[in-house]
Amino acid sequence: MLRSTLLTIDYIAIIYFIIINITYIFLNFIAFFSIRKNQLKEEVLDIEKRFSSEFYKPLSIIVPAYNEQETITENLNSILKLEYPEFEIIVVNDGSTDNTMEKLIEDFNLTIFNKNYSEDIETKNIKNIYKSTSHPELFIIDKENGGKGDALNAGVNLSDYPLVCNIDADSIIDSKALLSIVVPFVNDWRVVAAGGTVRIANSSEIQNGKVKEVKLSNKYLVRMQVIEYLRAFLFGRVGWAGINSLLIISGAFGVFKKKHLIKAGGYNTNTVGEDMELVLRLNRKMNKNKRKYKIVFLPEPVCWTQVPEKLSSLKSQRKRWHQGLGESLLYNFEMFFNPHYGTSGLIAFPFYFFIELLGPIIEIFGYSAIILTILLEFDGNNVVLLFLISSILLGVLLSLTSLLFEEMTFRKYKKTEDVIILSFYAILENFGYKQLNSIWRFIGLYKLITRNKEWGYQERSSFNVEE
Amino acid sequence: MTIYLKMLIYILSFLSLSLFLALIIFHLRLKYYENKEQLYKEKYSSIIESYIDYEINLEKTISYFENENNYKILKNIFKPYLNKYENEKHDRLKILIKKIGLKNYLYEKLNSNNKKKTLKAASFLGKLQDRNALNKLEKLLKSNDRLKIITSAWAISEIGDLSYLKPVIKTLLNKSEMTYEAITELLVNFGENICDNLIDYLNKDLKEEDYLVNEFETDEYKILSVFIDIFGFYRYEKSLKVLEKLLIENTNEEVTIHIFKALVKIGQPVNVNLKQFLQSESWVIRSQSAKYIGVIGAEEHTQTLSYLLYDENWWVGYYAAQSLWKMDKTKLMKNIIKHDKPGAEMCSYILAKNNYIFNLEGS
């Protein structure tokens, strides 16, 4: 009985690993061609030359902030230095319990301002709206706590411009990233949303609000996340976008056409995955209205972020992400295997549901069953072991591919030793780190089922700043 | 089964190792190439700059490039200079690029069967404003590949030969999915002379029914919108007569919006009754016409603007208040605020936005 149960689980896990790896290989191919096409486009259309053009659409940058007293000033200074012809910055203090608001008032000379607040999207109570006397393009909303989605909605309500860009308060945007991310909105009227790449800034050198030198952190956990981010952004998102099935734009850096964002109802305040939920809902609304649309991902515009350096913070983040993923998918379940949504409904959504969301169940039971089968020396244990090894090798191969993509395109890690170290971590992550992730995601799934909403806390440290 | 799996493991191990080696080789190769490009930059940048500034003559400059055939790197070195300089200095660069053989290299690539090489060469020849490339660029323009269309259209517009204006506009409107802003941005590369050609097209259209539609094979409102945006970009006052006519005769909302956006840029009055637009059903037309009133200072519309202050659309109220402010109607605005009349909130907002400090009792 035990033997047959274990073997059944083994084979389910094996099928799961085969599906996941085949999909990733497929995404890899798509991503390879998309990246090359994108690079060619950047070169022949000479985007840099055009950045002073009056044809750029003005942009409202919304920065939700909750207890960001450590990083808010340096990050806002970085945003204020972005190269873009016309933009406003709206920081939304979402009822911080630390000194975020006091720091903003002091560092940016804020005065109360009577800017009209449109209430297109319902939000928690607004306490005050401020304007900076030292930076006329900077506005601050001080509101009651309502979560990130609610803060973003408040920012949208106050924004004046046709494009809105959400940026996390703990992130740094490359100076020309906004120019690059807005280009698709000008070059193609069908584009309603665009996302950029998020990269890891831990240990990198920051000067005057810009990443001066990209350095690879010497911390084990950060290096693992570097590999993960490269994989997620350079072939995951590029690949899905390549088949017009992008279901997520990172909350850390994305641009939306304001009118469509409002028509879709703004950010969902009942989920911890408001970024993905919005993109899914946009897909649904645009499809229902039978409007031609495109949601694009650009690997070049880069946003730098600090990732957790402690296991406890990472655990909390991953649980939250997984819960958010589940909530987003459930809110938009109408898309599941729905041919009206094309490849998004028929391929991307089911993949996210079965593989990304339910994956941890199979991974945990699968890993356990495989280990037990091998330890108890049941018949077929050889086959199971060989499958496990193949699956790990495929994972290594995929991670190495994303490193190669990085080399072919952006080459942020200039040192040869960094490339060798990262290659080593592409192997190492398969032994412990991936399994830990499965456990955290499993807990996230459990919390989703039990509807346990707990925000968790990520310890913020300031960037490695040189003035 | 076991044998197959073992084979799979060998293959995957081999692939992983190969990929790792490829990664390192690729990394080192790029590093080498970057260093080489840097050396080239150090070697040639000062020579090119001295040549542009007439410090050394053409013959001497060419002698520095003798036996140099790494055109791939030279292309990258010349590109920023072509983007930076215009007129005489640009012409000097063109001569140098031809003499050192880079232009022949570009033609070789332009005519190759490799899309990437062709498009890179097309883009560069556009910057060189080389008319000999036009035939090939026109062929690229006729393709169904979106990137080929946009790249060739950019290059043709940079070369600036107006005889290609019609095929470029026609292709962009029908095949590119570009926004009006992007099409206008591309077309203004042709230079301000483009406006006279557009006026000709519009005059012919006024004489002959559906002339524009037949010529450009797309909806009239799309063609007009692009034309009007270009007039706006160049602040082309000679277009005022046509814009006036269009305001009276054209009924398409989108075209009317483009007209007002252009008029705001041109900043000159038109001989048309604007009240009908301030009362339009479209909030965009109401807001844009309200903005225009402020630009030209048409005080006869002050009362209508004060009604628009409390329009159901926020932007209409915003531009009405901005226009009142521009026309120096602060007294009226303060009065609205003082008596808490409809529109008081918008008036307060605009006064504060313009840093106008006052108290309700005095001034």
Side-chain angles (χ1 to χ4, degrees), chain B residues 209-257:
Chain B
E209 201 178 335
D210 289 337
Y211 175 78
L212 286 177
V213 175
N214 294 332
E215 286 289 299
F216 293 97
E217 292 172 15
T218 188
D219 299 328
E220 189 180 45
Y221 77 90
K222 289 184 184 170
I223 309 162
L224 290 175
S225 298
V226 169
F227 283 18
I228 294 162
D229 282 359
I230 294 170
F231 294 144
F233 176 83
Y234 282 116
R235 280 75 177 158
Y236 192 66
E237 291 187 20
K238 282 193 225 166
S239 66
L240 285 171
K241 282 270 170 276
V242 183
L243 295 180
E244 267 178 20
K245 253 187 182 165
L246 285 172
L247 267 182
I248 296 163
E249 290 171 12
N250 191 287
T251 50
N252 184 288
E253 275 188 10
E254 188 142 2
V255 173
T256 308
I257 292 163

Side-chain angles (χ1 to χ4, degrees), chain A residues 46 114 116 160 186-187 411, chain B residues 34 127 146 179 314-315:
Chain A
D46 217 356
N114 181 25
N116 271 29
D160 271 342
V186 182
N187 277 342
R411 307 194 68 230
Chain B
E34 266 181 11
K127 290 180 201 314
R146 199 168 166 258
T179 61
W314 188 83
W315 283 101

Side-chain angles (χ1 to χ4, degrees), chain A residues 70-71 74 202 306-307 309 458-464:
Chain A
E70 291 294 331
T71 54
E74 68 195 57
N202 300 49
Q306 293 267 28
V307 295
E309 294 186 350
Q458 182 183 332
E459 222 168 86
R460 297 259 185 253
S461 54
S462 10
F463 285 103
N464 186 13

Side-chain angles (χ1 to χ4, degrees), chain B residues 141-163:
Chain B
L141 188 71
K142 284 177 183 162
S143 87
N144 285 320
D145 181 315
R146 199 168 166 258
L147 191 56
K148 280 185 185 169
I149 291 172
I150 299 175
T151 309
S152 54
W154 263 98
I156 292 172
S157 69
E158 285 184 311
I159 294 168
D161 187 331
L162 285 168
S163 60

Side-chain angles (χ1 to χ4, degrees), chain B residues 171-196:
Chain B
T171 311
L172 293 180
L173 284 172
N174 288 296
K175 284 159 83 177
S176 78
E177 312 285 357
M178 284 161 86
T179 61
Y180 294 129
E181 287 101 328
I183 296 176
T184 307
E185 183 179 21
L186 188 152
L187 292 176
V188 296
N189 281 321
F190 277 101
E192 196 170 348
N193 286 342
I194 190 180
C195 296
D196 293 333

